[in-house]
Amino acid sequence: METEIERAAIARASKNVVAAGCACRHKHTPRSEELQADVARRLNRAIGQLNGVKAMIEDNRYCGDVLTQLAAAESAVRRVSEMLLQEHMRTCVVEEIRDGNDDVVDEVMTLMHRFL
């Protein structure tokens, strides 16, 4: 019979196992359907904006107008990043700290520096 500590260690180890040919890990706690839908909607909007920028470049549109559209797309992507960072902090980071993995704080600091 496994102890709580052994189960936590196994869970941590299994989260870090690399799937065959894939270097990405999977989230232990699923994202809510509402968050997934909101993120998908925002990403689709940003993709549409970037496709619009591409068309503007191909149409030789005015630089200021292109830059304005690029700023809008960047803002949309940044908002998605903020939402996912917040979700990460509330779920993954909290779970790791509760499991005794304080090293996750270093990971969070690295992620946050990418946004500064």
Side-chain angles (χ1 to χ4, degrees):
M1 181 174 231
E2 295 176 316
T3 68
E4 186 67 30
I5 293 171
E6 290 170 330
R7 278 195 297 275
I10 291 168
R12 268 195 316 278
S14 67
K15 283 194 273 186
N16 293 324
V17 171
V18 177
C22 178
C24 32
R25 297 174 286 175
H26 290 277
K27 185 170 168 52
H28 180 68
T29 305
R31 291 180 186 94
S32 70
E33 289 182 23
E34 180 181 305
L35 178 65
Q36 288 184 23
D38 193 17
V39 166
R41 190 171 36 257
R42 289 171 184 273
L43 288 174
N44 285 334
R45 186 176 307 128
I47 290 167
Q49 288 170 323
L50 289 173
N51 284 331
V53 168
K54 182 180 175 188
M56 292 174 80
I57 294 294
E58 291 168 353
D59 193 34
N60 203 32
R61 300 280 294 275
Y62 182 66
C63 296
D65 295 341
V66 174
L67 290 168
T68 298
Q69 290 304 309
L70 276 173
E74 287 175 0
S75 177
V77 170
R78 180 161 296 275
R79 180 63 186 129
V80 169
S81 296
E82 291 168 358
M83 292 169 61
L84 291 176
L85 180 60
Q86 182 177 14
E87 169 77 2
H88 182 57
M89 297 284 289
R90 288 186 173 164
T91 58
C92 303
V93 173
V94 169
E95 290 168 7
E96 289 294 319
I97 289 173
R98 285 181 181 156
D99 288 345
N101 180 10
D102 295 339
D103 293 337
V104 73
V105 173
D106 294 330
E107 175 194 285
V108 170
M109 293 306 295
T110 300
L111 289 171
M112 291 179 71
H113 279 86
R114 291 182 185 161
F115 294 102
L116 299 177

